[in-house]
Amino acid sequence: MGLKNMSLILGFLGFVFLQGLLVCTAYNVHNYSFIVKNTFFERLCSNKTMLTVNGGFPGPSIHVRKGDRAYVNVHNEASYGVTIHWHGVKQPRNPWSDGPENITQCPIKPGKNFTYEVIFSDEEGTLWWHAHSDWTRATVHGAIVILPEANTTYPFPEPAAEQVLILGEWYKGDVKEIIDNATATGGDPTVSDAYTINGQPGFPNNCSNDTSYKLTVEYGKTYLLRLVNAVMNEEMFFGIAKHNFTVVARDGAYIKPVTTSYIMITPGQTMDILLTANQSPSHYYIAATPFLDSDAPFDSTNTSAILQYTGNYTLPSFIPYPTLPNVTDRDAADNFTTRIRSLASAEHPINVPKNITTQIFIAVSVNEILCANASCGGPNGNRLAASLNNVSFVTPSIDILQAYYRSLTGVFGSDFPSQPPYIFNFTGDVGNNTLYPSQGTKARLINYGEAVEIVFQGTNVQTAENHPMHLHGFSFYLVGTGYGNFNATSSPSTYNLNDPPEVNTFGVPKNGWATIRFFANNPGVWFMHCHLERHASWGMDTVLIVKNGTTAETSILPPPTNLPTCS
């Protein structure tokens, strides 16, 4: 609780430049201290030490109100460098504190510290923070709770209480060693040994029944559950036995209420859920299971927690378990995700770009890099890779933001292509089309204020599957999705331009397409990548650079004086 509110509640007068209007607003300042260190844990009948923040798995939650500011001093007591990303926080004009390693900063060295300035703007609901160095986010993560502004309230009745639920994973092995070994061999990384809810695997995992996370509720009351999917490589179905619930927000933005018995949530996404305790007082399982639409290796286990009612009653001999869709049930996943619509009310308006001035078409693929003498651990003795528009991203040794801001040459190219190198039947019999990508560090420059549309086209190259894509620095509107090849003539006719969901992470369907739109009103260097961690590690990434506008208020803020050095 001390870390939760080590907040120095100061009345500040801030100026937020949002979509061309200079707005005067008061905000509170909150201060947090994050100690990144190794901590001892026991799970699944075994034990190990792993990287955590302040000794917790998950780490501490950050609590703010809409428009506030948080200063988070990160002390690195690990044996290697780390960075922290504030997932879904737009950080207006402030890419210096966005966090992806060697994109907007170099890592915080062991024994050093760095204070992030986390600037909140129009986000409201639940977001999350996580490490953004290799695979450290597997254990270094936590929730961000953004309450409504003072003297305002939710667009739904005030809940009796709130609770964060974080879906995560447990690896018996050392996560850094797992990805380092996969990187060295070129093969698929070892999958996790269990999923977790608030750090506990729960039933039916070994040595986990007695330590299951328990959520206590009182009959007749309604609770706000803030759900985060911090899983590394799998999308998840989630449900509560015998209970329906109502999803009211996603990715820090309110939606039209969706009442359902289950949800599908991708890595990186968050959802706010209203649960009314309206069943007979007893115990009920809360559970999550994977959803996978490919033949890639995956963790096939389940995780659970217990919803327990207060009061006097006889404990059941058998605790009910939710009925969740089958692991391969794409229809069930689509039946949920296609119901998501922005609230789009007078109090929570949206602004969907209609007159597009910048169009980008990106083919999303899993690939191979040729290895001499078939000496690698991937398919055909090659190295597994991934790409956007047939470019497999190579992370530089000097961060791109400093290179751009200081006009350093040789760090990145500004020629990320606006379309694939050539057009083929992306979702059909692709043969060897673009199986072997080029490798490079390429960015796409966009003028300030452009109305941007990006079409992401999934491909059948190597292994087709759903790709949860995430863009830093923005929320954007998911205006359309579909299966098969995007058709520039007919596909836009299916767009929803009235109330599309405003998100920061979305799924490109397996062998399908997805279109997003946003205004490029946040100058800076912003990472865009798949949130399946193995795909990001293989190069399914790029960088969007939004150039400065014509005024100081539409330009990148000056860098902090204590940025970690790259040497």
Side-chain angles (χ1 to χ4, degrees):
M1 292 296 291
L3 285 170
K4 176 178 173 182
N5 272 320
M6 282 174 65
S7 17
L8 185 65
I9 309 296
L10 299 175
F12 260 63
L13 196 63
F15 294 93
V16 177
F17 197 92
L18 184 61
Q19 293 185 0
L21 297 176
L22 194 62
V23 180
C24 178
T25 181
Y27 61 80
N28 292 329
V29 173
H30 309 262
N31 289 291
Y32 290 84
S33 179
F34 279 13
I35 312 297
V36 180
K37 62 181 181 179
N38 280 306
T39 308
F40 180 84
F41 286 88
E42 295 184 24
R43 299 285 190 277
L44 305 180
C45 314
S46 62
N47 57 68
K48 70 171 188 175
T49 59
M50 65 187 197
L51 212 58
T52 66
V53 165
N54 298 344
F57 175 63
S61 294
I62 287 176
H63 290 253
V64 299
R65 287 193 179 273
K66 179 181 177 181
D68 281 357
R69 198 159 297 192
Y71 291 90
V72 186
N73 192 355
V74 177
H75 303 258
N76 184 12
E77 296 182 3
S79 58
Y80 48 87
V82 297
T83 66
I84 303 292
H85 169 54
W86 319 96
H87 186 113
V89 182
K90 299 179 182 66
Q91 293 277 35
R93 303 171 50 215
N94 187 35
W96 306 104
S97 284
D98 189 51
E101 183 174 311
N102 287 8
I103 305 299
T104 60
Q105 70 169 99
C106 288
I108 305 167
K109 293 183 174 66
K112 302 294 184 179
N113 70 292
F114 174 62
T115 298
Y116 290 89
E117 180 184 21
V118 187
I119 302 175
F120 296 90
S121 54
D122 60 353
E123 307 91 353
E124 188 173 332
T126 306
L127 297 173
W128 65 303
W129 59 264
H130 60 80
H132 217 303
S133 304
D134 292 324
W135 278 30
T136 48
R137 82 165 177 87
T139 58
V140 178
H141 59 250
I144 301 174
V145 175
I146 309 171
L147 299 173
E149 292 176 292
N151 303 316
T152 66
T153 188
Y154 304 110
F156 45 80
E158 187 87 15
E162 303 182 5
Q163 180 59 54
V164 169
L165 296 178
I166 297 183
L167 305 181
E169 280 172 294
W170 184 264
Y171 291 81
K172 289 184 177 179
D174 182 276
V175 177
K176 188 175 189 306
E177 291 179 2
I178 288 171
I179 185 56
D180 285 351
N181 180 67
T183 300
T185 63
D188 232 331
T190 304
V191 301
S192 58
D193 295 286
Y195 301 105
T196 59
I197 297 178
N198 283 1
Q200 295 292 345
F203 173 84
N205 299 283
N206 291 336
C207 302
S208 301
N209 287 8
D210 294 338
T211 58
S212 295
Y213 176 77
K214 295 178 176 62
L215 175 62
T216 301
V217 296
E218 184 177 339
Y219 179 82
K221 292 189 175 180
T222 297
Y223 298 83
L224 178 59
L225 307 182
R226 299 180 178 274
L227 185 67
V228 177
N229 186 358
V231 171
M232 298 288 281
N233 290 303
E234 275 81 45
E235 299 171 300
M236 303 294 288
F237 289 118
F238 171 91
I240 303 173
K242 306 291 186 180
H243 291 74
N244 287 343
F245 44 79
T246 302
V247 184
V248 292
R250 179 172 129 181
D251 284 4
Y254 294 117
I255 64 172
K256 291 180 172 64
V258 175
T259 300
T260 180
S261 62
Y262 71 92
I263 66 170
M264 196 284 284
I265 183 169
T266 71
Q269 284 183 340
T270 61
M271 294 188 186
D272 292 7
I273 297 167
L274 291 178
L275 169 69
T276 299
N278 56 9
Q279 297 300 303
S280 299
S282 186
H283 285 192
Y284 301 87
Y285 275 121
I286 305 167
T289 61
F291 164 59
L292 189 82
D293 62 351
S294 81
D295 57 3
F298 74 104
D299 179 349
S300 61
T301 64
N302 297 355
T303 182
S304 69
I306 295 175
L307 182 76
Q308 59 181 30
Y309 280 69
T310 60
N312 297 318
Y313 50 84
T314 301
L315 290 177
S317 57
F318 172 78
I319 300 176
Y321 204 84
T323 301
L324 293 175
N326 184 275
V327 66
T328 60
D329 194 340
R330 182 196 293 182
D331 289 341
D334 288 347
N335 287 342
F336 171 73
T337 58
T338 56
R339 297 172 66 188
I340 306 295
R341 296 284 186 271
S342 284
L343 185 57
S345 65
E347 296 79 12
H348 300 279
I350 62 173
N351 185 21
V352 184
K354 303 292 176 60
N355 300 313
I356 300 302
T357 56
T358 294
Q359 289 185 305
I360 304 173
F361 185 94
I362 299 178
V364 183
S365 302
V366 175
N367 310 90
E368 297 177 22
I369 301 292
L370 290 169
C371 289
N373 303 316
S375 56
C376 292
N380 308 308
N382 292 325
R383 173 178 297 278
L384 280 164
S387 68
L388 299 175
N389 276 352
N390 210 40
V391 179
S392 186
F393 187 80
V394 177
T395 304
S397 57
I398 298 174
D399 68 272
I400 293 174
L401 174 57
Q402 288 199 68
Y404 171 69
Y405 190 81
R406 306 186 192 283
S407 299
L408 304 179
T409 59
V411 176
F412 70 96
S414 58
D415 56 343
F416 179 81
S418 294
Q419 59 186 18
Y422 58 93
I423 304 300
F424 57 97
N425 182 7
F426 298 109
T427 59
D429 183 4
V430 298
N432 278 343
N433 283 322
T434 65
L435 178 59
Y436 307 108
S438 64
Q439 294 178 277
T441 307
K442 297 181 183 293
R444 175 64 155 80
L445 271 65
I446 300 173
N447 290 327
Y448 181 89
E450 295 284 330
V452 181
E453 177 181 281
I454 306 179
V455 177
F456 294 84
Q457 174 67 64
T459 74
N460 208 24
V461 177
Q462 183 56 257
T463 301
E465 61 184 295
N466 191 61
H467 298 286
M469 300 300 299
H470 171 52
L471 171 60
H472 295 214
F474 292 90
S475 289
F476 42 81
Y477 298 100
L478 179 63
V479 298
T481 61
Y483 287 103
N485 296 330
F486 179 84
N487 184 294
T489 302
S490 60
S491 296
S493 66
T494 67
Y495 287 176
N496 171 17
L497 300 180
N498 296 317
D499 58 356
E502 184 179 4
V503 298
N504 61 61
T505 307
F506 66 98
V508 180
K510 176 183 177 180
N511 280 331
W513 56 269
T515 302
I516 67 170
R517 288 184 174 186
F518 61 95
F519 289 103
N521 57 7
N522 192 8
V525 170
W526 307 111
F527 201 30
M528 184 166 69
H529 60 95
C530 182
H531 228 279
L532 299 182
E533 210 64 26
R534 67 182 190 278
H535 291 174
S537 299
W538 294 341
M540 194 175 284
D541 327 280
T542 190
V543 171
L544 299 186
I545 298 178
V546 177
K547 296 192 286 186
N548 285 339
T550 58
T551 67
E553 292 78 14
T554 58
S555 300
I556 299 174
L557 292 168
T561 57
N562 64 333
L563 269 176
T565 58
C566 299
S567 58

